[in-house]
């Protein structure tokens, strides 16, 4: 549907029709019998997943035991395949005779069991690919069985009667019947009646004390023209201000941080103290929670849910405003997991939602065929002067005002970083967000920055040009970078 490339910026955008897959999520209001059926289907999915994990790993342990007795590889127990067709074929063969499923498997839709088997096949595929080094991120472990008290209640329907009722307040799902929705479904219903949308699947899930249904829909979407397609904007995320926006025309905007969790923290502490004073569950002695504890816990969870909804709403509004206006957006690849290890900033960083902002900016840009540039994690956006390009060796987090030692520029730290990110869009060579120094072939080091922080020699307080602080001019810095090209670590912007 979308074309990618540097030609997207500065081109006359023409509306194009295409098919995209997106989700529509609605809250449900099931009655008692329907909620029991929903829990039964989700439990069936968990049971099928646990059976598949046990069935596949049983052959692994059997082969390991046989090998310990000196049995040859040709005589070991054959490997059991974990593809979805193989798991489904074996499950259909044993479900009527296995005592774990014989008495109740007919009570649920076959889609419930297919959900568990599909999740198991995906888990084994991820484990295999991670072990072979084909996946990024930390190593994925062997799939394990899901505990009843920890497993997320979810089930996916791909075939059968999946329908949005014409009244806009009910949905129909296989074996569950017609379920009332907590909110109207006219937005999706209008697209279906107009013939511009087609439901592919439906997923029910229990979250924060409420049931939800998500419809995966293939729909037609027009590529809309942004207000300023030729303008690039740098987005610097922070805590004091949620985002500082600096575009290529010199305009600066500060987006305030709503701090929804801080506003609800006083009431949340009160609710948590009340929950702790009441008799809660204890698995060690088999004690069940009291009704007063369950009531207090529901009220506390409701407050958590409200804060999460407010945060989601604020992030969506911010990212939508940015993507509707600018053709190119430059964001940073922040190490959010590392920032959360800072005990003084973890709560505020988590409340800001840095990772979600970047994710939404990316996929909303793809909807409009716009470009997203992701600056490398080591790009010194805060330590680089947006006026002359000089790079500071150190800039502690407590210093909120940037002062350049070369040109004397004094500017807010976040505003300076946002300007540098906006300028980075000009060096981007592809639509995927790769950027580099055009003057240094083979080396991608914008403005001479590298992973390692530069250290000044003891007793040397002036640079080559005689200025204080050991600063160098941009041209001299590029010459030194060329000389150190073989000795410094090279990084890329992607």
């Amino acid at each position: 549907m979308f074309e990618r490339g540097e030609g997207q910026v500065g081109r006359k955008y023409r509306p194009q029709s295409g098919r995209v897959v997106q989700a529509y999520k609605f809250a449900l209001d099931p009655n008692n019998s329907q909620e029991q059926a929903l829990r039964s289907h989700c439990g069936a999915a968990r049971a099928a997943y646990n059976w598949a994990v046990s069935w596949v790993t049983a052959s692994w342990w059997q082969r390991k035991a046989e090998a310990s007795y000196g049995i040859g590889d040709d005589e070991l127990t054959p490997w059991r395949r974990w593809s979805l067709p193989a798991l489904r074929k074996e499950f259909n063969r044993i479900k009527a005779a296995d005592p774990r499923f014989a008495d109740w498997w007919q009570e649920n839709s076959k889609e419930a069991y297919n959900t568990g088997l599909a999740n198991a096949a995906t888990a084994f595929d991820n484990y295999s690919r991670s072990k072979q080094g084909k996946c990024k991120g930390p190593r994925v472990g062997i799939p394990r069985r899901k505990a009843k008290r920890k497993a997320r209640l979810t089930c996916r329907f791909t075939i059968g009667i999946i329908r949005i009722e014409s009244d806009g307040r009910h949905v129909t799902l296989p074996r569950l019947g017609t379920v009332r929705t907590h909110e109207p479904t006219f937005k999706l219903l209008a697209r279906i009646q107009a013939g511009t949308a087609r439901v592919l699947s439906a997923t029910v899930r229990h979250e924060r004390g409420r049931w939800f249904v998500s419809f995966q829909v293939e729909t037609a979407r027009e590529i809309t023209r942004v207000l300023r397609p030729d303008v690039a904007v740098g987005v610097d995320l922070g805590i004091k201000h949620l985002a500082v926006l600096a575009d290529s025309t010199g305009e600066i905007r500060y987006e305030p941080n709503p701090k929804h969790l801080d506003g609800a923290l006083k009431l949340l502490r009160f609710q948590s103290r009340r929950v702790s004073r009441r008799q809660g569950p204890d698995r060690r002695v088999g004690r069940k929670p009291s009704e007063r504890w369950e009531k207090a816990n529901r009220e506390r969870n409701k407050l958590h849910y409200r804060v999460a909804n407010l945060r989601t709403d604020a992030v969506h509004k911010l990212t939508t405003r940015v993507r509707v206006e600018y053709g190119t957006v430059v964001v940073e690849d922040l190490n959010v997991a590392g920032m959360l290890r800072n005990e003084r900033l973890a709560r505020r960083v988590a409340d800001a939602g840095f990772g979600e902002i970047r994710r939404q900016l990316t996929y909303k840009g793809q909807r409009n065929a716009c470009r997203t540039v992701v600056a490398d994690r080591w790009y010194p956006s805060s330590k680089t002067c947006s006026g002359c390009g000089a790079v500071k060796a150190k800039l502690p987090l407590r210093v909120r005002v940037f002062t350049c030692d070369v040109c004397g520029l004094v500017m807010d730290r976040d505003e300076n970083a946002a300007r540098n990110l906006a300028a980075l869009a000009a060096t981007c060579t592809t639509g995927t967000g790769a950027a580099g120094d055009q003057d240094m072939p083979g080396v991608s080091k914008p403005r001479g920055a590298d992973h390692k922080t530069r250290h000044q020699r003891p007793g040397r307080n002036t640079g080559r040009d005689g200025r204080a602080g050991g600063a160098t001019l941009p041209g001299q810095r590029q010459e030194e970078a060329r000389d150190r090209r073989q000795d410094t670590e090279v990084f890329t912007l992607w």
Side-chain angles (χ1 to χ4, degrees):
M1 171 184 175
F2 301 113
E3 299 177 358
R4 303 181 65 180
E6 60 177 343
Q8 293 298 321
V9 178
R11 173 188 296 181
K12 295 286 186 179
Y13 289 100
R14 296 180 179 178
Q16 300 177 6
S17 61
R19 310 291 293 184
V20 297
V21 177
Q22 66 182 66
Y24 289 82
K25 186 176 181 179
F26 305 101
L28 298 176
D29 278 338
N31 55 33
N32 293 335
S33 61
Q34 290 173 342
E35 183 173 1
Q36 184 178 1
L38 286 169
R39 292 184 178 273
S40 178
H41 278 70
C42 296
R46 180 185 60 86
Y49 177 89
N50 290 341
W51 171 86
V53 171
S54 300
W55 184 72
V56 174
T57 55
S59 63
W60 297 7
W61 298 116
Q62 180 66 24
R63 289 176 60 90
K64 185 176 181 180
E66 293 173 355
S68 64
Y69 287 101
I71 301 178
D73 295 341
D74 298 338
E75 300 178 359
L76 295 178
T77 300
W79 296 101
R80 289 177 176 175
R81 301 179 58 187
W82 60 69
S83 63
L84 180 57
L87 293 177
R88 187 184 301 169
K89 181 179 179 181
E90 181 65 19
F91 181 78
N92 292 334
R93 186 183 66 84
I94 62 97
K95 63 183 180 182
D98 195 318
R100 295 173 293 180
F101 304 99
D103 298 335
W104 55 271
W105 70 270
Q106 295 181 347
E107 300 176 1
N108 304 303
S109 172
K110 64 179 182 180
E111 289 294 285
Y113 307 102
N114 187 75
T115 300
L117 299 179
N119 292 341
T122 302
F124 280 108
D125 287 338
N126 293 339
Y127 166 71
S128 177
R129 296 179 68 251
S130 177
K131 190 174 181 179
Q132 297 173 7
K134 298 180 180 180
C135 294
K136 297 181 179 179
R139 182 68 62 87
V140 177
I142 299 176
R144 296 181 296 179
R145 294 170 57 91
K146 295 182 179 180
K148 182 177 181 180
R149 63 186 180 89
K150 291 183 178 181
R152 178 176 296 175
L153 298 178
T154 180
C155 179
R156 185 168 182 258
F157 301 93
T158 56
I159 59 175
I161 302 177
I162 304 175
R163 184 172 61 241
I164 310 295
E165 298 298 335
S166 58
D167 60 354
R169 295 308 298 267
H170 293 83
V171 296
T172 301
L173 301 174
R175 294 297 294 270
L176 298 175
T178 302
V179 184
R180 180 175 175 82
T181 59
H182 184 72
E183 49 193 342
T185 60
F186 292 110
K187 186 175 181 179
L188 176 57
L189 181 62
R191 287 180 173 268
I192 295 177
Q193 292 178 347
T196 59
R198 181 172 65 94
V199 177
L200 302 178
S201 65
T203 303
V204 292
R205 176 174 297 181
H206 187 266
E207 293 179 349
R208 305 183 182 98
R210 181 178 290 278
W211 287 94
F212 294 88
V213 58
S214 298
F215 293 97
Q216 187 181 21
V217 180
E218 183 184 17
T219 181
R221 177 180 291 275
E222 295 289 338
I223 298 179
T224 58
R225 178 185 174 90
V226 296
L227 299 179
R228 297 195 287 177
D230 299 331
V231 179
V233 62
V235 181
D236 181 74
L237 303 178
I239 296 176
K240 182 180 179 181
H241 299 92
L242 182 59
V244 179
L245 308 178
D247 57 32
S248 54
T249 63
E251 182 181 353
I252 301 294
R253 285 192 300 175
Y254 288 84
E255 296 291 339
N257 190 354
K259 299 181 181 179
H260 300 293
L261 183 59
D262 288 353
L265 204 56
K266 182 177 180 180
L267 183 57
L268 183 60
R269 291 194 182 106
F270 170 77
Q271 297 285 4
S272 299
R273 285 195 299 266
R274 190 170 64 167
V275 172
S276 65
R277 287 194 295 264
R278 299 182 179 181
Q279 180 175 321
D282 192 344
R283 296 180 60 252
R284 295 172 297 180
V285 297
R287 185 179 66 190
K288 295 184 178 181
S290 64
E291 294 183 1
R292 299 176 73 246
W293 183 91
E294 291 182 344
K295 179 180 178 181
N297 189 49
R298 284 195 300 268
E299 293 179 358
R300 181 181 61 175
N301 293 342
K302 184 178 180 180
L303 182 58
H304 275 294
Y305 187 29
R306 181 177 182 275
V307 172
N309 286 341
L310 290 175
R311 183 188 301 115
T312 302
D313 180 70
V315 170
H316 271 291
K317 289 179 178 179
L318 170 63
T319 55
T320 300
R321 287 198 305 268
V322 173
R323 272 308 181 182
V324 167
E325 183 174 0
Y326 299 102
T328 301
V329 176
V330 185
V331 294
E332 290 181 296
D333 180 23
L334 298 176
N335 183 15
V336 181
M339 299 169 68
L340 292 177
R341 288 195 289 267
N342 187 336
E343 59 182 10
R344 297 185 178 182
L345 300 176
R347 176 166 57 84
R348 298 185 181 274
V349 170
D351 190 28
F354 293 158
E356 182 65 15
I357 292 176
R358 173 186 166 183
R359 187 187 71 87
Q360 292 186 14
L361 288 174
T362 302
Y363 83 79
K364 290 181 180 180
Q366 293 175 353
R367 289 179 176 179
N368 299 335
C370 295
R371 190 174 60 162
T372 302
V373 180
V374 180
D376 186 83
R377 184 170 298 178
W378 299 98
Y379 177 69
S381 59
S382 298
K383 296 189 294 184
T384 302
C385 178
S386 58
C388 65
V391 182
K392 281 182 173 291
K394 291 289 185 180
L395 186 63
L397 189 61
R398 64 179 181 271
V399 179
R400 306 311 305 170
V401 177
F402 178 87
T403 303
C404 181
D405 299 329
V406 178
C407 64
L409 176 68
V410 179
M411 184 180 296
D412 180 76
R413 175 195 182 111
D414 297 334
E415 179 180 344
N416 178 70
R419 291 180 181 272
N420 289 326
L421 292 176
L424 186 63
T427 65
C428 183
T429 57
T430 65
T432 60
D437 192 342
Q438 304 297 330
D439 298 331
M440 298 173 59
V443 179
S444 178
K445 296 177 57 176
R447 302 186 179 181
D450 52 33
H451 289 70
K452 300 179 180 179
T453 304
R454 303 192 192 100
H455 296 278
Q456 298 179 1
R457 296 179 182 178
R460 185 176 182 180
N461 298 324
T462 58
R464 292 184 179 181
D465 58 337
R467 298 176 184 261
T472 57
L473 294 177
Q476 296 173 350
R477 186 173 58 256
Q478 292 180 1
E479 294 177 0
E480 293 176 359
R482 293 189 183 97
D483 296 338
R484 299 192 306 267
R485 184 168 55 186
Q486 302 297 331
D487 302 328
T488 57
E489 187 175 2
V490 177
F491 74 98
T492 58
L493 297 177
W494 50 274

